[in-house]
Amino acid sequence: MSLDETLQPHRAALMTALEEEDGDRLGVLLRELRSADIGELVEDALGEEEEGLPVALALLDGLPLERRANVLGYLPGEEQRAVAEAMEDKALLLLLEEMGSDERTDLFKVLDEDRREALLRRMAHREREELKRLASYEEGTAGAIMTSDYVAIPTGMTVSRALMRVRQTAPDAETVYQLYIVDPEGRLAGTLSLRQLMVARPGALIDDLMIKDVISASVDEAQEEVARTVARYDLLALPVVDTEWRLVGIVTHDDAMDVVESEATEDIHKGMSIGALEDGVSRVPLWSLYRKRVTWLVLLVFGNLFSGAGIAYFEETIAAQVALVFFLPLLIGSGGNAGAQAATLMVRGMATGDVGVKDWGKLLGRELLVAGSLGLTMALAVAPIGVIRGGEAVAMVVAVSMICIVLFGSLLGMCLPFVLDRLGWDPATASAPLVTTVIDASGVVIYFGFATAMLSGV
């Protein structure tokens, strides 16, 4: 059963409770649901054109403050903004105080400038400065996705005192399973798991127990590198330090996975020549969706003119052997498919760190062997059709062209991501549409070039 089907009975019951203004029943129904599921219901309500916002606010009002803040953290940015704009400053401030530091910062960033200033004026000095600091980090960096809600233990403590410190700070921490040891200047000195702390002798010093070789990230490190580090070392959280090695926050595993999903989505969109969307495809405005797709499509239209020019150049060959036209879509389509496959493999390999520019020579040799084998196999498969449609001479042209076009397409698809990377562009741009357009034009020239040379005496 899908998630939507699972929530459907709850959605109907909640709507009934809202219509009947039965607050007690609404509270009972909401207690039966997880925060993430309530967030989805609120998001669905906000997507309704009529009465959507009042329903969403009613659902949130039926929750205790702490749970309401938790649910709000599951909403996308635009939905958070819609809810926040409908709330008074006092109510919104209470929600911000209950949210984790990273979620609080994300919500703060989607508000307009006047609303931010109004909220900052109402905050305590320490909270205000902390929020301004977290909001100042550039988007796409470790600082922008980290949280300052972690358990830090000063060096020199005994295990028993450290456990007391954990009990004091645990309620507000994002995670307590990994503890961070800092020196008097706030610099990261080591790390310790909660398990190690619990089984250690009470009088032992944490300085003797901690792991000093700590895996960490700098505050301005790209978020995809942070996510890759978390995944590579199977970390529950990754400490983030500034230029002086002071601990400023942590990136938890769930936030890293959100980054992985976001980056994968962005790469898929770029792979199909679609600009980055501000929201989900079902929620983004029509004009924005049009604008993100039209640029590359128009450019690729003009790129396809070269295919037409190639066909026009070989009009005499086509007129002499009309059967050649039958195989044109087959050949350039095969080359485009092979090129798109090779580009996708390289782009994904570069994204995961599996391959780099230094591997180009090795990969080129491998791709020559694989693409040559693919082209030969496809040539053998299509050659009998060539014999039937145009005779042995046409079959030979089609077979040779298939090998060359598939070989060229695969090598182009493999090399283009590396070229774009060296130019400072995103390698994901090299995928299907761009590779296919280039191969369409070059495939026409290769095919009819061979046909002209091989069939000139036929």
Side-chain angles (χ1 to χ4, degrees):
M1 183 180 292
S2 68
L3 182 59
D4 187 65
E5 292 173 341
T6 303
L7 290 178
Q8 194 61 41
H10 296 282
R11 184 183 288 111
L14 287 168
M15 292 304 104
T16 301
L18 286 172
E19 291 172 1
E20 297 176 354
E21 299 183 358
D22 188 346
D24 293 336
R25 176 61 177 161
L26 179 64
V28 171
L29 291 170
L30 289 173
R31 282 195 294 272
E32 294 175 354
L33 292 172
R34 295 180 174 87
S35 296
D37 295 335
I38 299 174
E40 183 173 333
L41 294 173
V42 172
E43 186 180 345
D44 290 345
L46 290 170
E48 299 292 334
E49 294 184 3
E50 298 181 3
E51 300 297 325
L53 184 57
V55 169
L57 292 174
L59 289 173
L60 290 172
D61 288 341
L63 296 167
L65 180 60
E66 183 178 354
R67 190 107 190 272
R68 194 184 314 161
N70 193 19
V71 169
L72 195 61
Y74 282 102
L75 298 181
E78 288 302 313
E79 280 70 15
Q80 283 189 343
R81 187 209 300 269
V83 171
E85 288 178 348
M87 300 175 67
E88 296 181 354
D89 287 351
K90 183 178 180 180
L92 183 57
L93 191 61
L94 289 174
L95 274 178
L96 287 171
E97 291 173 352
E98 286 294 328
M99 298 177 77
S101 61
D102 53 342
E103 293 178 345
R104 181 190 308 136
T105 305
D106 292 338
L107 175 56
F108 183 76
K109 286 180 178 180
V110 302
L111 302 176
D112 59 60
E113 192 65 33
D114 292 339
R115 195 73 187 280
R116 293 183 195 178
E117 291 299 325
L119 291 169
L120 287 174
R121 285 195 295 268
R122 289 172 170 262
M123 287 183 177
H125 176 75
R126 181 178 179 181
E127 293 177 346
R128 180 170 64 249
E129 294 305 312
E130 177 72 4
L131 181 55
K132 289 168 66 175
R133 179 179 69 85
L134 291 175
S136 67
Y137 294 114
E138 185 180 353
E139 285 297 322
T141 64
I145 61 172
M146 72 181 184
T147 177
S148 58
D149 300 329
Y150 54 87
V151 179
I153 300 174
T155 54
M157 272 193 174
T158 62
V159 168
S160 59
R161 289 183 61 197
L163 281 170
M164 291 180 60
R165 181 64 176 260
V166 172
R167 293 189 188 99
Q168 292 170 353
T169 56
D172 298 323
E174 188 87 6
T175 177
V176 297
Y177 301 111
Q178 200 67 32
L179 316 173
Y180 301 97
I181 319 302
V182 294
D183 67 13
E185 286 75 35
R187 291 189 293 265
L188 181 62
T191 184
L192 189 69
S193 71
L194 182 60
R195 178 189 297 174
Q196 289 175 290
L197 190 66
M198 292 180 66
V199 300
R201 183 172 53 84
L205 291 174
I206 58 171
D207 299 40
D208 299 330
L209 301 174
M210 68 182 182
I211 299 172
K212 298 179 181 179
D213 184 18
V214 186
I215 300 170
S216 63
S218 63
V219 74
D220 57 353
E221 188 169 336
Q223 62 179 16
E224 54 265 37
E225 290 297 326
V226 172
R228 193 175 297 156
T229 301
V230 171
R232 178 176 182 179
Y233 296 105
D234 293 327
L235 301 175
L236 291 175
L238 179 69
V240 180
V241 297
D242 62 12
T243 54
E244 298 180 8
W245 203 251
R246 289 191 296 260
L247 181 63
V248 293
I250 62 172
V251 176
T252 56
H253 186 272
D254 57 328
D255 289 330
M257 293 306 99
D258 289 340
V259 170
V260 170
E261 180 184 0
S262 174
E263 293 295 330
T265 300
E266 183 180 343
D267 285 347
I268 290 171
H269 287 167
K270 286 182 178 179
M272 295 307 297
S273 302
I274 300 172
L277 300 179
E278 298 84 1
D279 207 338
V281 67
S282 63
R283 297 181 297 272
V284 70
L286 290 178
W287 165 248
S288 180
L289 195 59
Y290 163 82
R291 184 165 49 86
K292 296 296 184 180
R293 296 175 64 182
V294 68
T295 304
W296 269 104
L297 287 177
V298 171
L299 291 175
L300 295 176
V301 163
F302 288 101
N304 283 322
L305 291 177
F306 290 101
S307 300
I311 293 173
Y313 182 81
F314 292 103
E315 281 183 351
E316 293 183 5
T317 301
I318 296 171
Q321 293 287 343
V322 179
L324 293 172
V325 178
F326 175 82
F327 296 97
L328 179 60
L330 181 150
L331 289 168
I332 61 175
S334 298
N337 291 337
Q341 283 183 342
T344 300
L345 289 172
M346 291 305 106
V347 169
R348 189 56 187 163
M350 295 173 75
T352 59
D354 184 42
V355 298
V357 177
K358 66 181 186 302
D359 303 310
W360 181 82
K362 174 185 174 183
L363 293 170
L364 181 63
R366 288 166 59 89
E367 191 63 28
L368 274 170
L369 292 174
V370 173
S373 301
L374 291 172
L376 181 60
T377 303
M378 297 167 75
L380 292 174
V382 78
I385 303 175
V387 173
I388 296 172
R389 292 287 303 181
E392 294 182 0
V394 169
M396 182 60 68
V397 170
V398 171
V400 173
S401 299
M402 177 67 82
I403 295 172
C404 292
I405 291 173
V406 170
L407 192 60
F408 175 78
S410 298
L411 294 180
L412 177 69
M414 191 219 82
C415 294
L416 201 52
F418 291 105
V419 174
L420 294 176
D421 185 59
R422 290 299 288 248
L423 293 174
W425 297 350
D426 195 326
T429 312
S431 287
L434 181 58
V435 170
T436 301
T437 300
V438 174
I439 293 172
D440 283 353
S442 55
V444 168
V445 175
I446 292 172
Y447 178 39
F448 288 122
F450 275 125
T452 302
M454 298 173 67
L455 300 179
S456 57
V458 179

